Amino acid sequence: MIYIKNGSINTITNGVIVGDILVDDGKIVEISDGIVVPLDAEVIDAKGKFIYPGFIDAHTHLGLWEDGMGAEGADGNEETDPITPQLNPIDGINPMDRTFEEAYSGGITSVCVTPGSANVMGGQCIAIKTYGKRIDKMIIKNPVASKIAFGENPKTCYGADEKAPQTRMAIAAMLRENLKKAQEYLEEIELYEKDEDDERDRPEYDIKLEGLLPVLKKEIPFKVHAHRADDIFTAIRIGKEFDVDLTLDHCTEGHLIVEDLVEENYPVIVGPSLSERSKIELRNLTFDTAGKLSNAGLDVCIMTDHPVIPVNYLPICAGIAVKHGMTNERALEAITINPAKAIGIDDRVGSIEVGKDADLVIWDGYPLEINSNVVCTIIDGKVVYNNEKS
């Protein structure tokens, strides 16, 4: 049991209050200014400090590309087949990688880990906490999305070897082909389950098509890798054809098509913006994108695409977005409640509310300012980082 007293608490969803938080069994059980402190509680005095929910990055490859390693630590892209919806990061993440510690000591307590974008269908995505040694015990929800990719990455990965896809047309065609197969597979399963006379055989198990069923059932969205405006529109076109949900990740040219994105109203996950224009698709890269989309009324998430940008720089990315026109309030939402909603874990994290996971971070200043420091990080009600120098 932990009792945090005297802090300025930014709940994200219910304003800022000065008061206390009681944590028990990994959950927030009380928030007020008159808590009766249990005798066995660990007391943390946050006077003069600022308490925020743990920050969330909705698009990373944390633990799939290990820090300071080459091919031995690269497990994000299975570049032998452009269609791999059956893959899941739980079998590739190494939580012993030191960037996990950098994440939670930097105030990031939850992330979505996704396969890379070499494949048209890259695999499923999972939401995890950033503290732990065994990935099975760190999972918040699995899966939360299914990764698909448009544009340069799948083209350059396979086109150079005289394999499909070499063009954007082929990427779209491969998506449609496999989604149609998955639809038919699902229909056969449903007919089999409805057959009261047991005269119909269940369709032969297909691990790839099984991986797409949660998308077709609208249990999870497609997580769309798309930088260019035309690729974003192709993703939306295919999403409507097959009646599936989407999140639009990267969305680099989103500021060029603001009205269309507002009309469609998909969650947008913007970034990585703190990087170079390393390929043609990024020629219109700007930090203005998040603010323009947010100011137009969209619920924007900001992401690092770790290791493209180290995940612990997520608050800095949000701070630079403010410098480029995003409001402070919306920038905080972009790394808390918005990503929690986009990946379907807002029932547990993303704000400071009674009943939610006790993922709390105490700062010595405003977290989007570069000179602010994390004093203490609590994940699932456990102090995992304590900076005694602050």
Side-chain angles (χ1 to χ4, degrees), residues 258-259 262 290-298:
V258 174
E259 292 182 0
V262 170
K292 287 185 176 181
L293 294 176
S294 175
N295 294 337
L298 288 171

Side-chain angles (χ1 to χ4, degrees), residues 65 82 138 217 231 277 389:
W65 272 276
M138 300 162 66
K217 294 178 180 180
D231 289 329
R277 297 178 181 90
K389 295 180 181 180

Side-chain angles (χ1 to χ4, degrees), residues 146-199:
S146 179
K147 179 71 174 289
I148 59 174
F150 293 80
E152 283 187 48
N153 286 15
K155 281 182 59 177
T156 55
C157 180
Y158 291 96
D161 295 329
E162 299 297 321
K163 296 178 180 179
Q166 291 187 331
T167 65
R168 284 179 164 82
M169 294 183 293
I171 291 171
M174 294 172 88
L175 282 167
R176 288 188 173 100
E177 177 186 14
N178 285 277
L179 280 169
K180 183 61 176 176
K181 288 179 180 178
Q183 278 186 335
E184 293 173 349
Y185 182 73
L186 178 58
E187 289 171 1
E188 290 178 12
I189 291 173
E190 290 174 341
L191 288 172
Y192 165 77
E193 292 175 346
K194 291 178 181 178
D195 186 359
E196 296 179 356
D197 298 326
D198 295 330
E199 295 180 354

Side-chain angles (χ1 to χ4, degrees), residues 315-336:
I316 293 175
C317 294
I320 299 175
V322 171
K323 182 179 180 179
H324 284 255
M326 201 173 195
T327 68
N328 282 283
E329 182 181 4
R330 296 293 176 258
L332 284 169
E333 290 174 354
I335 56 175
T336 54

Side-chain angles (χ1 to χ4, degrees), residues 59-72:
H59 186 125
T60 77
H61 310 286
L62 188 66
L64 286 180
W65 272 276
E66 296 177 50
D67 189 62
M69 296 184 68
E72 295 86 353

Side-chain angles (χ1 to χ4, degrees), residues 28-320:
I28 299 169
V29 296
E30 191 174 354
I31 306 167
S32 75
D33 57 0
I35 297 175
V36 177
V37 187
L39 294 176
D40 59 344
E42 176 185 354
V43 178
I44 298 175
D45 191 349
K47 187 175 182 179
K49 306 292 194 303
F50 306 88
I51 306 170
Y52 288 82
F55 293 155
I56 303 169
D57 194 327
H59 186 125
T60 77
H61 310 286
L62 188 66
L64 286 180
W65 272 276
E66 296 177 50
D67 189 62
M69 296 184 68
E72 295 86 353
D75 288 298
N77 281 319
E78 179 59 44
E79 297 181 34
T80 58
D81 182 351
I83 304 297
T84 56
Q86 76 278 18
L87 304 184
N88 192 290
I90 192 174
D91 301 311
I93 295 171
N94 179 11
M96 300 290 190
D97 185 73
R98 64 183 177 185
T99 54
F100 279 84
E101 182 178 358
E102 292 175 350
Y104 64 74
S105 64
I108 293 82
T109 58
S110 301
V111 297
C112 178
V113 181
T114 170
S117 50
N119 293 346
V120 177
M121 289 182 167
Q124 295 180 329
C125 313
I126 65 174
I128 63 171
K129 300 292 179 76
T130 55
Y131 178 81
K133 295 181 179 180
R134 182 177 178 180
I135 192 64
D136 309 75
K137 297 181 178 180
M138 300 162 66
I139 291 172
I140 306 170
K141 184 179 177 182
N142 182 21
V144 294
S146 179
K147 179 71 174 289
I148 59 174
F150 293 80
E152 283 187 48
N153 286 15
K155 281 182 59 177
T156 55
C157 180
Y158 291 96
D161 295 329
E162 299 297 321
K163 296 178 180 179
Q166 291 187 331
T167 65
R168 284 179 164 82
M169 294 183 293
I171 291 171
M174 294 172 88
L175 282 167
R176 288 188 173 100
E177 177 186 14
N178 285 277
L179 280 169
K180 183 61 176 176
K181 288 179 180 178
Q183 278 186 335
E184 293 173 349
Y185 182 73
L186 178 58
E187 289 171 1
E188 290 178 12
I189 291 173
E190 290 174 341
L191 288 172
Y192 165 77
E193 292 175 346
K194 291 178 181 178
D195 186 359
E196 296 179 356
D197 298 326
D198 295 330
E199 295 180 354
R200 182 185 296 271
D201 292 333
R202 193 187 194 283
E204 184 178 352
Y205 179 82
D206 188 316
I207 191 171
K208 287 188 175 184
L209 300 181
E210 288 282 339
L212 292 172
L213 296 187
V215 177
L216 293 177
K217 294 178 180 180
K218 289 195 168 185
E219 296 170 354
I220 61 172
F222 271 137
K223 179 174 275 291
V224 176
H225 166 106
H227 289 282
R228 273 179 24 175
D230 57 338
D231 289 329
I232 294 170
F233 289 141
T234 299
I236 293 172
R237 187 181 313 118
I238 293 173
K240 289 182 175 180
E241 286 176 21
F242 290 90
D243 189 26
V244 297
D245 295 328
L246 312 172
T247 67
L248 302 176
D249 294 41
H250 300 302
C251 211
T252 302
E253 293 189 351
H255 60 285
L256 303 179
I257 52 172
V258 174
E259 292 182 0
D260 292 283
L261 293 180
V262 170
E263 177 185 343
E264 300 295 346
N265 199 32
Y266 291 102
V268 289
I269 302 173
V270 176
S273 303
L274 189 62
S275 61
E276 62 175 332
R277 297 178 181 90
S278 57
K279 53 186 179 179
I280 298 298
E281 287 182 340
L282 302 182
R283 64 190 181 279
N284 289 312
L285 177 69
T286 172
F287 259 105
D288 295 344
T289 305
K292 287 185 176 181
L293 294 176
S294 175
N295 294 337
L298 288 171
D299 289 336
V300 175
C301 310
I302 292 173
M303 57 102 146
T304 63
D305 204 18
H306 177 96
V308 179
I309 301 170
V311 67
N312 48 302
Y313 292 159
L314 181 65
I316 293 175
C317 294
I320 299 175

